[in-house]
């Protein structure tokens, strides 16, 4: 009898796990469970949470291929299909940002191709769509799963948890308050009114687009670029955050990334073995930027900056400038650099360092973790979460049309629900919104948030506030589950891996979990 493996979740993490798992030489029985209507799409790329106007924040050149690259797949699609997503078949490019819904179709097609390949290689594959796994238990040394209708009629030698983002359910939303952009906003009729959006990231831009497209149209002209024409003067949208800075546009750089000079593997290991890991990491950070871009280092006084005030210096110029003026100038710079294939050295250095630093985050003391979260983490996040140029054009078009503004809250603000309105009080002023959307993105989850009660209870009984995993994401406790569950649910990994979100991380996690299964001797 073949060994039986289940993969819970068929978004990118589940797909990359499956891709690597079917390389197993011995035939396996693989069960795929997807709570959505279609396996392979993934929550961020589905029609329930995205519209055609919402762009993916990753280009083909950055997406690890499955059976083919995203660009190759797009080139096999019909012109009608591509134009339906606003793409010109003659202008497809490896660095192009496309609608999230189209990327979801790619993942779906790739999963179906993998299923065919798996069966050709002798694996048994069972696809269970619209099936939410509600519990995981161990009995007689094998794993048992429960879904919404009862026990799953199979016993599993390994369970791979590849569930994705965790956001509030639609039933937690009201007509005037959305706890996330994925809590029914896409299908909601938003009136032309004062709309507040918490956050300024791509998720916030998507929320603004979901509202704006109901009350106007974007159009592109030869001379003026992108313009938004509102159908009413009543719509006012405000993006808000502590600092009120907008994200910058995605910048040109070599891919694959070139090696770092100072923050090397050996240097990081030396830092891990030192008496003050965080300060050692920051010393490497300073050396890397100084070596890559001495002009930038001098301009912000890097030599005299510390791990605790570098972020202040990094954001200072943007915080002092009108956010839309900065966005317009940054967009112009980015587009010139892309056309000329110019890389800004200090930006590229920061981009390449964030994953290196992440490896040492679990070794930080509690005090240094607080310093990191308040300092370098904000810099890294701002850098790697740069958004497509088209997203910046849309923000500028909304602002030029008198629809969009930005509010800097500061850290000491209050948010209150009053009847059907949301009131924000910040820096001595109050702001009232008829509709409010919390678009701050995924928050790290703990064992208490797990949707599997038996596993949750066992973890908490062991004092495991965060599901503990080894280097290949194998659960290391509780004893009954250790070695049997591979845990690649990204929201639960974020505490120790703050930059783990994204498709490239999903691919790395999937490869590691499949490798663990192969090496286990199954």
């Amino acid at each position: 009898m073949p060994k039986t493996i289940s993969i819970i979740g068929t978004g990118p993490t589940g797909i990359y796990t499956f891709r690597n798992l079917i390389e197993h030489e011995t035939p396996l029985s693989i069960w795929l469970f997807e709570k959505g209507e279609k396996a392979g799409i993934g929550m961020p790329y589905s029609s329930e949470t995205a519209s055609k106007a919402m762009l993916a924040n990753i280009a083909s050149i950055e997406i690890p291929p499955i059976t083919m690259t995203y660009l190759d797949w797009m080139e096999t699609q019909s012109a009608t299909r591509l134009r339906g997503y606003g793409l010109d078949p003659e202008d497809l490019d490896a660095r192009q940002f496309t609608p999230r819904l189209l990327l979801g179709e790619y993942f779906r097609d790739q999963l179906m191709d993998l299923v065919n390949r798996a069966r050709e290689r002798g694996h048994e594959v069972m696809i269970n769509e619209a099936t939410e796994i509600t519990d995981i238990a161990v009995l007689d040394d094998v794993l048992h799963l429960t879904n919404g209708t009862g026990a799953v009629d199979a016993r599993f030698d390994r369970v791979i948890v590849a569930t994705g983002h965790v956001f509030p359910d639609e039933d937690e939303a009201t007509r005037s308050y959305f706890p996330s952009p994925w809590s029914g906003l896409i299908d909601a009729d938003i009136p032309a009114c004062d709309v507040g959006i918490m956050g300024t990231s791509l998720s916030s831009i998507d929320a603004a687009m979901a509202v704006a497209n109901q009350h106007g149209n974007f159009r592109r002209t030869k001379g003026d670029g992108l313009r938004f024409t509102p159908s009413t003067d009543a719509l006012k949208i405000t993006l808000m955050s502590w600092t009120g800075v907008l994200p910058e546009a995605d910048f040109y750089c070599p891919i694959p990334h070139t090696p770092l000079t100072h923050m090397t593997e050996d240097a990081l290991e030396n830092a891990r073995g030192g008496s003050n890991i965080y300060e050692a990491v920051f010393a490497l950070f300073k050396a890397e930027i100084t070596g890559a871009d001495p002009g930038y280092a001098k301009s912000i006084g890097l030599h005299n900056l510390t791990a605790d005030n570098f972020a202040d210096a990094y954001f200072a110029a943007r915080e002092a400038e009108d956010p839309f003026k900065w966005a317009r100038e940054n967009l112009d710079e980015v587009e010139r650099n892309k056309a000329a294939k110019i890389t800004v050295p200090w930006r590229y250095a920061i981009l390449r360092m964030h994953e290196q630093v992440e490896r040492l985050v679990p070794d930080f003391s509690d005090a240094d973790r607080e310093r990191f979260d308040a300092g370098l983490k904000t810099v890294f996040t701002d850098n790697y979460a740069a958004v497509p140029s088209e997203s910046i054009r849309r923000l500028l078009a909304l602002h030029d049309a008198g629809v969009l503004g930005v509010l800097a809250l500061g850290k000491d603000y209050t948010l209150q629900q009053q009847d059907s309105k949301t009131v924000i009080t910040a820096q001595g002023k109050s702001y009232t919104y008829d509709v409010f959307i919390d678009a701050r993105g995924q928050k790290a989850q703990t064992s208490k948030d797990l949707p599997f009660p038996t596993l949750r209870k066992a973890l908490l009984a062991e004092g495991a506030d965060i599901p503990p995993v080894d280097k290949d994401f194998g659960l290391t406790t509780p004893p009954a589950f250790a070695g049997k569950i591979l845990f690649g649910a990204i929201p639960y990994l974020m505490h120790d891996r703050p930059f783990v979100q994204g498709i490239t991380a999903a691919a790395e996690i999937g490869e590691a979990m499949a490798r663990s299964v192969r090496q286990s001797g199954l």
Side-chain angles (χ1 to χ4, degrees):
M1 293 291 293
K3 297 295 183 179
T4 306
I5 314 293
S6 70
I7 300 177
I8 304 174
T10 64
T13 303
I15 291 173
Y16 285 107
T17 304
F18 184 58
R19 173 186 177 275
N20 288 278
L21 196 59
I22 65 175
E23 299 298 326
H24 201 286
E25 294 182 0
T26 304
L28 299 169
S29 177
I30 305 172
W31 291 54
L32 305 176
F33 292 96
E34 170 57 49
K35 72 176 183 178
E37 294 299 318
K38 286 187 176 182
I41 294 178
M43 187 278 289
Y45 314 106
S46 71
S47 58
E48 288 77 23
T49 60
S51 68
K52 287 186 177 181
M54 295 179 178
L55 298 177
N57 200 18
I58 188 169
S60 177
I61 194 172
E62 301 173 271
I63 299 173
I66 303 174
T67 68
M68 64 174 66
T69 69
Y70 183 37
L71 177 60
D72 287 342
W73 177 84
M74 284 192 289
E75 290 176 338
T76 68
Q77 305 308 301
S78 69
T80 300
R81 189 179 195 183
L82 293 174
R83 289 195 176 99
Y85 284 100
L87 301 179
D88 186 334
E90 302 300 320
D91 292 335
L92 297 178
D93 184 85
R95 291 179 179 263
Q96 184 177 17
F97 294 100
T98 66
R100 291 215 305 262
L101 291 178
L102 184 63
L103 184 54
E105 292 194 36
Y106 163 74
F107 282 127
R108 166 73 178 184
D109 284 359
Q110 292 290 278
L111 177 61
M112 294 300 103
D113 285 348
L114 288 176
V115 168
N116 291 333
R117 290 190 181 194
R119 289 171 175 162
E120 289 172 357
R121 294 176 182 179
H123 301 293
E124 178 184 76
V125 182
M126 304 288 289
I127 303 176
N128 302 271
E129 296 175 318
T131 304
E132 182 174 7
I133 297 302
T134 57
D135 204 8
I136 307 171
V138 178
L139 182 63
D140 297 330
D141 206 37
V142 293
L143 294 154
H144 298 249
L145 300 180
T146 303
N147 62 28
T149 60
V152 175
D153 188 21
R155 306 293 177 262
F156 299 94
D157 298 286
R158 295 288 185 276
V159 168
I160 297 171
V161 180
T163 52
H165 292 287
V166 179
F167 292 110
D169 293 331
E170 288 187 25
D171 57 11
E172 296 185 39
T174 69
R175 295 178 64 183
S176 61
Y177 182 82
F178 295 85
S180 86
W182 302 277
S183 301
L185 178 63
I186 295 301
D187 296 323
D189 292 325
I190 306 299
C193 60
D194 287 323
V195 178
I197 300 176
M198 183 65 75
T200 55
S201 67
L202 186 60
S203 297
S204 310
I205 298 172
D206 285 344
M209 288 294 296
V211 175
N213 279 327
Q214 297 187 38
H215 302 287
N217 295 288
F218 288 92
R219 61 184 180 87
R220 202 176 305 275
T221 61
K222 291 183 179 180
D224 297 331
L226 190 66
R227 288 287 180 265
F228 180 76
T229 304
S231 59
T232 172
D233 294 333
L235 178 64
K236 303 296 178 185
I237 302 174
T238 303
L239 303 180
M240 62 192 76
S241 65
W242 285 1
T243 61
V245 300
L246 292 172
E248 295 196 311
D250 184 76
F251 53 90
Y252 179 84
C253 65
I255 300 174
H257 296 321
T258 57
L260 292 164
T261 302
H262 298 275
M263 192 176 282
T264 63
E265 299 290 338
D266 289 343
L268 287 170
E269 282 305 309
N270 289 336
R272 179 180 276 118
S275 58
N276 195 321
I277 299 174
Y278 188 44
E279 290 298 335
V281 165
F282 185 66
L284 294 172
F285 178 88
K286 290 175 69 173
E288 196 70 52
I289 290 180
T290 301
D293 200 333
Y296 174 75
K298 182 178 180 180
S299 71
I300 64 168
L302 180 57
H303 179 73
N304 295 317
L305 295 178
T306 70
D308 300 311
N309 63 17
F310 176 83
D312 294 335
Y314 173 87
F315 286 108
R318 280 162 72 186
E319 291 179 10
E321 185 66 85
D322 174 85
F324 294 100
K325 181 176 183 293
W326 184 279
R328 205 177 305 274
E329 292 172 351
N330 171 251
L331 178 63
D332 289 343
E333 176 194 2
V334 162
E335 290 302 289
R336 288 195 306 271
N337 289 344
K338 285 180 180 178
K341 296 185 177 180
I342 295 173
T343 300
V344 177
W346 65 266
R347 295 187 193 277
Y348 192 36
I350 293 174
L351 178 66
R352 288 175 291 157
M353 283 191 283
H354 80 273
E355 290 180 345
Q356 296 286 79
V357 171
E358 183 183 56
R359 300 178 187 182
L360 271 65
V361 169
D363 298 310
F364 291 167
S365 67
D366 290 344
D368 283 345
R369 179 58 192 268
E370 290 183 9
R371 296 170 64 201
F372 172 73
D373 287 349
L376 281 186
K377 180 183 174 183
T378 65
V379 172
F380 286 133
T381 301
D382 177 73
N383 177 272
Y384 79 73
V387 302
S389 291
E390 185 69 4
S391 295
I392 299 298
R393 293 189 190 98
R394 291 170 176 177
L395 290 181
L396 292 171
L398 289 173
H399 177 68
D400 291 344
V403 171
L404 182 69
V406 170
L407 176 63
L409 298 173
K411 294 184 179 181
D412 297 322
Y413 70 89
T414 62
L415 184 155
Q416 292 181 316
Q417 297 294 312
Q418 297 182 2
D419 298 324
S420 61
K421 297 183 183 295
T422 298
V423 179
I424 298 282
T425 302
Q427 303 184 52
K429 295 183 179 179
S430 292
Y431 307 87
T432 301
Y433 300 99
D434 304 300
V435 173
F436 195 83
I437 305 161
D438 191 334
R440 284 175 287 188
Q442 178 67 68
K443 299 176 178 63
Q445 303 290 293
T446 68
S447 297
K448 293 180 181 179
D449 302 309
L450 274 173
F452 315 118
T454 300
L455 178 59
R456 179 177 67 237
K457 182 178 179 180
L459 280 166
L460 294 176
E462 291 289 318
D465 294 332
I466 307 294
V469 297
D470 60 23
K471 64 180 179 62
D472 288 330
F473 302 92
L475 204 61
T476 59
T477 197
F481 292 89
K484 297 181 178 66
I485 292 183
L486 285 303
F487 199 90
I490 284 176
Y492 298 89
L493 303 176
M494 288 174 59
H495 182 270
D496 287 341
R497 296 173 171 84
F499 310 126
V500 76
Q501 298 185 74
I503 293 172
T504 55
E508 292 169 3
I509 293 168
E511 180 180 2
M513 292 193 295
R515 179 176 61 242
S516 178
V517 172
R518 291 199 304 270
Q519 293 176 347
S520 69
L522 288 183

